[in-house]
């Protein structure tokens, strides 16, 4: 029995060590959020999935691209042109509906999987379940986050 | 012999069915005639919000006291009003759209209730708060139109579900916020989703069994829009191909559409719901996601058998990516109730550049022996039509701050746009009045046949508007513009006025601190009731606008004032529970100085008057 347990422990440690990536959880229901390998499209995306660090924060080009995506997907409709809030929450102050949004992993999870009764999922494959080609890649979400953070005060 | 008996039985069944239908119509008409009842959202088929009850008069209105209240147990915007039928009050709520039947004979005890199980994700499709504009009644049934598109008929007496059907497809970004309206043997219901790239339509269901009688689209081929040969017979120029010069590419920054004279218009043309969506559109066929939602208050004239309603804004809010007049968005339609075929249709804001959604109510009235229809549009003009054929008789600015157009040319019906306030992609147009909220939004006006005046709740808000490139994805927001809103030149955000529908002139005008976002009630004792966002429920003199009485309720009012009689006593009431477009930001907790410049910014001060989110309640007053 003891042997079996230690064997299982060993297995778990090995598994954890093998899977270097972080665990992402849905803001909607706290269930694990799967990020398929094919939407982890750039080095920055891979780095983020492994470490939770968004390399685009403060990067002027990324912020510009993020702004474009923010407009393209009508994020502006609810959150305002500069993410200052309109008919949806302000994303530039220190008040969050979901406390974890203060860090980049948390806000990524909220954008990727959506919220309960609030915003729909924006991640590729989740935005429109019938059409997996729709939605944002990991890299696009990171740039949107960089844009949002650039407006913070 | 057996066969014969069977035939007889079928015959008898059919006869009883016919009799029942006839009875159903008579039942509702009778209830509408009885001022002790409030049997449809705006009191009657004509959408007047007028009652002949006069026990509460100018002499005693100052003594109005709270009779009772009913907290709905639901937060956020409570638009519309309860119904009162045969001593039962039927109360609806914001999402999840609960229903309560209260026994007025037994201290408002709950007779039956209903709690819909809706997928909470539908809330992400409700652009401007989780509102419902109330219930419908007819044929002994209470009709509930849920936000997720489910339309249910209950037995009014005990709440038994009689039939249920699905009106809209939420996967396409469609939802419902409108009240179902019962006209004769039909339930008319619309749809919302102008900010989600929907293709708008209005539907008629048979009240007997919930089967679909007809559905008319706001865009596409004439067969889909249900336009036949007699459409716009008297005003064929309403069916012109284009009402502006250089529509294709002529609306570049710095330029503007120049209105064509009637002599230069090409009409009548068919299939304008296709042809006025010129290439290149943002998507392959612009009209397929061309908006024109139908979430307002509808009216009906039994003598003409015509029903009237307005269609909403074209999709997206970025005008540059949808060249053309974008018909039949922004249109007042008159349709035959039985067949759904359009008798006339007039587009108020061709090629909208400001989200002046045309869904506001159309009120039917008579003057100088004419059958008239009056509509106060978001675009800031008050229109009066000959409702038999759509001839435009009056189109005047409701407030002089309206600046996107100098006037409406009565001969052609075309607004003369001002280039200064035209909007274009990646250009931030400033100082546009009114804002997208309109000079009036959904909050319905009232009409008194005694004073021959309309009583109109108003917004006084201007905006900046910057269209941006946006991508259509089914079920996702597709807005394509960012805007900021601020108080108009009068320094306040709202008002309330009396309007002469024949002269097209305001008779009296009161400023309001915030938008007057509650619907009006007028009685034969010449008292007008309405609620405000800073929680006041007011009575004013219909002749002068002078305030006669006011009482503060628990939360800002976006509901419509109603009145009824019970055991010889007149009651007035209104739902409170702040929300709707004006209050949604507050409900979501946006109250920092840095928060939203959209509706949130302008209305920030609401948090000094309201707890968030606004709690729903029915407030009832009597002498």
């Amino acid at each position: 029995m003891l042997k079996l347990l230690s064997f299982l422990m060993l297995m778990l440690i090995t598994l954890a060590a093998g899977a270097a990536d972080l665990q992402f959880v849905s803001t909607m229901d706290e269930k694990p959020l799967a990020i398929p390998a094919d939407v982890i499209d750039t080095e920055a995306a891979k780095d983020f999935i492994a470490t939770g660090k968004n390399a685009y924060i403060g990067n002027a080009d990324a912020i510009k691209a993020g702004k474009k995506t923010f407009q393209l997907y009508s994020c502006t409709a609810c959150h305002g042109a500069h993410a200052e809030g309109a008919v949806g929450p302000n994303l530039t102050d220190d008040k969050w509906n979901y406390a974890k949004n203060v860090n980049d992993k948390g806000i990524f999870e909220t954008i990727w999987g959506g919220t309960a009764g609030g915003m729909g999922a924006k991640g590729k494959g989740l935005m429109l379940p019938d059409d997996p080609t729709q939605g944002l890649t990991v890299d696009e979400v990171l740039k949107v986050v960089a844009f949002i953070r650039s407006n913070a005060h | 012999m057996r066969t014969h008996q069977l035939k007889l039985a079928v015959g008898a069944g059919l006869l009883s069915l016919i009799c029942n239908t006839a009875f159903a119509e008579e039942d509702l008409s009778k209830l509408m005639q009885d001022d002790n009842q409030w049997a449809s959202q705006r009191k009657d088929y004509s959408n007047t919000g007028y009652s002949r009850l006069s026990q509460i008069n100018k002499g005693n209105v100052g003594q109005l006291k709270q009779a009772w209240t009913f907290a709905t147990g639901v937060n956020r915007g409570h638009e519309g009003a309860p119904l009162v039928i045969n001593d039962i009050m039927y109360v609806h709520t914001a999402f999840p759209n609960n229903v309560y039947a209260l026994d007025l004979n037994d201290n408002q005890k709950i007779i039956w209730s209903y709690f819909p199980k809706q997928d909470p994700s539908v809330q992400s499709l409700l652009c401007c708060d989780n509102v419902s504009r109330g219930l419908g009644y007819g044929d002994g049934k209470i009709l509930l139109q849920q936000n997720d598109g489910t339309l249910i008929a209950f037995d009014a007496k005990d709440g038994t579900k009689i039939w249920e059907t699905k009106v809209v497809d939420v996967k396409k970004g469609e939802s419902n916020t409108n009240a179902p309206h019962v006209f004769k043997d039909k339930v008319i219901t619309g749809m919302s989703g102008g900010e989600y790239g929907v293709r708008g339509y209005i539907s008629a269901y048979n009240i007997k069994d919930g089967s679909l009688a007809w559905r008319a689209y706001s865009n596409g081929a004439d067969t889909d829009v249900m336009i036949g040969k007699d459409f716009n017979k008297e005003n064929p120029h309403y069916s012109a191909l284009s009402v502006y010069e250089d529509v294709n590419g002529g609306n570049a920054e710095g330029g503007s559409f120049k209105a064509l004279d009637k002599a230069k218009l090409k009409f009548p043309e068919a299939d304008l719901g296709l042809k006025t969506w010129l290439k290149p559109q943002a998507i392959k066929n612009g009209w397929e996601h061309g908006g024109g939602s139908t979430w307002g208050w509808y009216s009906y004239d039994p003598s003409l058998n015509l029903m009237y309603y307005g269609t909403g804004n074209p999709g997206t809010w970025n005008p540059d990516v949808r060249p053309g007049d974008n018909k039949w968005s922004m249109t007042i339609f008159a349709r035959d109730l039985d067949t759904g075929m359009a008798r006339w249709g007039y587009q108020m804001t061709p090629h909208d550049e400001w989200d002046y959604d045309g869904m506001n109510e159309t009120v039917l009235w008579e003057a100088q022996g004419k059958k008239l229809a009056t509509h106060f549009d978001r675009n800031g003009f008050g229109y009066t039509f000959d409702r038999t054929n759509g001839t435009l008789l009056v189109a005047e600015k409701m407030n002089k701050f309206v600046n996107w157009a100098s006037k409406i040319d009565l001969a052609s019906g075309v607004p003369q746009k001002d280039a200064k306030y035209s909007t274009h992609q990646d250009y931030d147009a400033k100082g546009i009045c009114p804002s997208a909220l309109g000079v009036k939004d959904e909050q319905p006006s009232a009409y008194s046949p005694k004073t021959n005046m309309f009583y109109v709740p108003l917004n006084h808000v201007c905006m900046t508007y910057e269209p941006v490139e946006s991508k259509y994805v089914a079920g996702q927001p597709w807005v394509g513009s960012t805007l900021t809103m601020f108080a108009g030149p009068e320094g306040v955000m709202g008002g309330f006025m009396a309007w002469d529908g024949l002269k097209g002139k305001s008779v009296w005008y009161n400023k309001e601190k915030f938008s007057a976002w509650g619907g009006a009630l007028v009685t034969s004792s010449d008292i007008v009731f309405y609620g405000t966002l800073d929680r006041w429920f007011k009575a004013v003199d219909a002749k002068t606008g002078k305030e006669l009485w006011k009482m503060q309720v628990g939360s800002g009012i976006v509901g419509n004032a109603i009145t009824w009689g019970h055991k010889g006593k007149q009651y007035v009431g209104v739902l409170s529970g702040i929300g709707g477009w004006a209050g949604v930001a507050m409900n979501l907790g946006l109250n920092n100085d840095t928060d939203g410049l959209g509706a949130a910014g302008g209305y920030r001060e609401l948090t000094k008057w309201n707890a968030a989110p606004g709690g729903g309640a029915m407030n009832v007053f009597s002498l």
Side-chain angles (χ1 to χ4, degrees):
Chain A
M1 187 66 189
L2 204 74
K3 244 182 175 173
L4 187 70
L5 257 176
S6 50
F7 174 70
L8 280 173
M9 289 272 283
L10 202 75
M11 278 278 289
L12 273 171
I13 292 162
T14 322
L15 272 172
D21 294 352
L22 298 168
Q23 272 293 322
F24 288 86
V25 294
S26 158
T27 304
M28 197 180 291
D29 53 15
E30 294 188 358
K31 285 183 185 148
L33 203 57
I35 318 287
D38 62 326
V39 297
I40 308 170
D41 47 343
T42 59
E43 280 309 311
K46 279 178 197 140
D47 186 43
F48 172 75
I49 295 295
T51 66
K53 287 202 181 74
N54 184 350
Y56 291 135
I57 300 293
N59 175 325
D61 287 344
I63 290 168
K64 211 172 149 195
K67 182 183 181 182
K68 190 85 187 154
T69 306
F70 196 74
Q71 292 176 341
L72 201 61
Y73 285 87
S74 293
C75 309
T76 51
C78 297
H79 297 294
H82 310 288
E84 78 280 21
V87 295
N90 182 345
L91 309 175
T92 64
D93 59 3
D94 54 3
K95 231 175 60 183
W96 296 99
N97 285 352
Y98 307 98
K100 68 176 186 179
N101 288 351
V102 78
N103 68 58
D104 291 337
K105 178 173 175 278
I107 199 169
F108 175 89
E109 289 169 338
T110 301
I111 298 170
W112 192 269
T115 68
M119 180 179 67
K122 304 297 170 199
K124 200 160 188 167
L126 290 181
M127 181 184 268
L128 193 58
D130 297 347
D131 182 357
T133 65
Q134 296 294 347
L136 277 64
T137 63
V138 171
D139 195 68
E140 285 173 318
V141 173
L142 294 178
K143 286 172 177 159
V144 166
V145 172
F147 168 67
I148 292 169
R149 301 298 194 211
S150 77
N151 291 300
H153 29 231
Chain B
M1 189 63 200
R2 271 182 93 95
T3 333
H4 188 68
Q5 261 180 351
L6 194 72
K7 266 184 189 161
L8 226 141
V10 171
L14 221 103
L15 195 72
S16 88
L17 198 79
I18 292 162
C19 286
N20 275 342
T21 310
F23 181 73
E25 292 160 29
E26 200 185 335
D27 174 40
L28 181 56
S29 308
K30 251 192 203 155
L31 286 167
M32 284 177 176
Q33 284 303 308
D34 177 1
D35 289 283
N36 288 316
Q37 321 284 341
W38 193 275
S40 81
Q41 280 298 322
R42 298 303 297 148
K43 174 80 166 43
D44 49 34
Y45 282 149
S46 302
N47 263 353
T48 61
Y50 170 77
S51 171
R52 284 165 297 201
L53 293 184
S54 58
Q55 191 180 70
I56 299 166
N57 57 44
K58 285 182 203 174
N60 62 20
V61 66
Q63 295 155 36
L64 270 185
K65 288 183 198 64
Q66 190 168 66
W68 54 269
T69 65
F70 178 77
T72 66
V74 174
N75 289 332
R76 302 184 60 170
H78 281 58
E79 290 184 346
L83 301 177
V84 178
I85 298 145
N86 297 328
D87 297 338
I88 300 176
M89 175 179 284
Y90 299 92
V91 183
H92 70 284
T93 75
F95 181 89
N97 313 137
N98 298 335
V99 181
Y100 293 93
L102 307 179
D103 187 350
L104 301 182
N105 290 329
D106 186 10
N107 301 299
Q108 293 69 245
K109 189 177 174 187
I110 297 167
I111 301 172
W112 61 266
S113 49
Y114 183 73
F115 306 99
K117 298 275 176 291
Q118 299 191 59
D119 183 341
S121 67
V122 72
Q123 294 172 93
S124 69
L125 297 180
L126 305 172
C127 75
C128 312
D129 211 11
N130 296 346
V131 299
S132 156
R133 294 188 191 83
L135 305 162
Y137 174 83
D139 194 28
K141 300 179 179 89
I142 287 290
L143 284 308
L144 166 68
Q145 178 65 75
Q146 295 178 188
N147 290 146
D148 67 358
T150 308
L151 175 65
I152 308 179
F154 301 97
D155 185 317
K157 287 205 177 72
D158 58 17
T160 310
K161 204 182 271 186
I162 299 171
W163 54 257
E164 179 176 337
T165 188
K166 197 83 174 172
V167 177
V168 304
D169 182 355
V170 290
K171 278 193 174 166
K172 292 182 182 163
E174 300 170 358
S175 60
N176 281 101
T177 56
N178 64 279
H181 288 53
V182 178
F183 299 146
K184 214 163 70 170
D185 57 346
K186 305 272 190 308
V187 183
I188 308 294
T189 189
M191 48 89 77
S192 304
E195 283 62 57
Y196 298 80
V198 301
R199 181 184 177 202
Y201 53 83
I202 195 159
S203 316
Y205 290 87
N206 294 305
I207 196 164
K208 272 282 152 234
D209 57 8
S211 58
L212 183 68
W214 52 262
R215 171 169 290 180
Y217 286 86
S218 304
N219 23 50
D222 278 358
T223 45
D224 289 359
V225 187
M226 301 187 79
I227 286 175
K229 66 174 171 36
D230 283 342
F231 179 67
N232 282 340
K233 183 166 66 173
E234 296 84 352
N235 295 287
H237 55 288
Y238 290 178
S239 298
L241 184 59
S242 177
V243 297
Y244 294 108
E245 284 176 11
D246 307 324
V247 285
N248 209 353
N251 197 23
E253 190 178 332
S256 177
F257 286 94
K258 207 172 163 233
L260 294 168
D261 290 337
K262 191 178 173 185
K264 287 189 185 160
L265 295 177
K266 265 181 74 186
F267 61 82
E269 289 270 346
D271 293 328
L272 290 170
L274 298 170
K275 290 181 193 162
T276 59
W277 296 83
L278 303 174
K279 306 283 179 194
Q281 296 282 323
I283 36 181
K284 197 171 162 229
N285 294 311
W287 60 269
E288 288 177 350
H289 301 288
S293 55
T294 54
W295 49 283
W297 315 96
Y298 325 127
S299 47
Y300 172 58
D301 179 341
S303 68
L304 299 167
N305 201 39
L306 291 177
M307 57 153 284
Y308 303 84
Y309 71 101
T311 66
N313 57 287
T316 85
W317 288 11
N318 177 358
D320 285 2
V321 299
R322 46 172 170 76
D325 286 359
N326 310 135
K327 283 187 167 61
W328 293 90
S329 67
M330 307 301 211
T331 299
I332 302 268
F333 271 116
R335 293 186 183 276
D336 183 280
L337 181 69
D338 298 336
T339 65
M341 294 303 287
R343 176 66 182 78
W344 59 267
Y346 167 72
Q347 189 181 37
M348 294 169 288
T349 313
H351 186 74
D352 170 63
E353 305 170 48
W354 310 274
D355 182 35
Y356 292 150
D357 190 313
M359 51 56 63
N360 286 356
E361 78 287 356
T362 299
V363 182
L364 312 184
W365 59 299
E366 274 82 40
Q368 300 173 344
K370 281 190 199 132
K371 289 175 185 284
L372 303 169
T374 288
H375 170 93
F376 300 99
D377 198 60
R378 286 253 287 266
N379 74 15
F381 285 86
Y383 298 84
T384 296
F385 301 91
D386 175 338
R387 73 172 181 265
T388 64
N389 57 27
T391 299
L392 184 58
L393 305 172
V394 180
E396 293 293 336
K397 286 183 184 179
M398 293 157 66
N399 184 306
K400 61 177 186 302
F401 85 134
V402 174
N403 62 15
W404 68 276
S406 58
K407 62 168 190 158
I408 312 286
D409 175 20
L410 280 187
S412 66
V414 180
Q416 317 286 302
K417 290 182 179 178
D418 185 336
K420 250 195 296 190
Y421 304 105
S422 256
T423 73
H424 310 286
Q425 188 168 311
D426 301 325
Y427 163 72
D428 195 10
K430 303 254 192 322
I432 301 162
C433 304
S435 75
L437 301 166
V439 168
K440 190 181 93 51
D441 199 271
E442 61 81 31
Q443 60 270 44
S445 57
Y447 168 73
S448 166
K450 215 168 146 254
T451 61
N452 295 313
M453 278 196 260
F454 289 85
Y455 299 95
V456 195
L458 301 164
N459 306 324
H460 191 72
V461 182
C462 299
M463 67 174 171
T464 69
Y465 192 104
E466 183 178 4
V468 293
E469 190 187 351
S470 62
K471 183 182 166 168
Y472 171 78
V473 181
Q476 297 288 324
W478 192 45
V479 179
S481 187
T482 64
L483 36 138
T484 63
M485 299 190 198
F486 45 90
E490 288 165 14
V492 291
M493 300 188 73
F496 193 97
M497 71 171 177
W499 176 264
D500 184 322
L502 286 176
K503 290 190 185 136
K505 269 197 182 127
S506 164
V507 181
W508 53 258
Y509 188 103
N510 291 346
K511 287 182 189 176
E512 281 287 347
K513 185 175 178 54
F514 299 109
S515 295
W517 207 280
L521 160 73
V522 59
T523 68
S524 65
S525 52
D526 293 341
I527 302 178
V528 180
F529 292 91
Y530 68 97
T532 71
L533 296 178
D534 47 352
R535 313 206 316 270
W536 292 107
F537 185 47
K538 293 183 177 180
V540 301
D541 188 321
K543 296 248 171 79
T544 63
K546 192 180 151 235
E547 190 176 287
L548 302 170
W549 169 85
K550 67 176 175 180
M551 177 83 88
Q552 217 167 12
V553 295
S555 180
I557 295 170
V558 295
N560 306 333
I562 62 171
T563 187
W564 67 97
H566 182 245
K567 293 190 172 157
K569 202 164 190 180
Q570 183 185 357
Y571 293 83
V572 291
V574 72
L575 281 170
S576 56
I578 195 166
W581 197 351
V584 62
M586 206 209 83
N587 280 341
L588 293 170
L590 274 79
N591 52 19
N592 288 351
D593 278 351
T594 51
D595 281 350
L597 292 163
Y603 291 97
R604 186 173 297 123
E605 215 194 319
L606 284 177
T607 54
K608 297 210 164 77
W609 298 92
N610 288 279
M618 180 62 187
N619 309 276
V620 178
F621 305 89
S622 64
L623 292 171

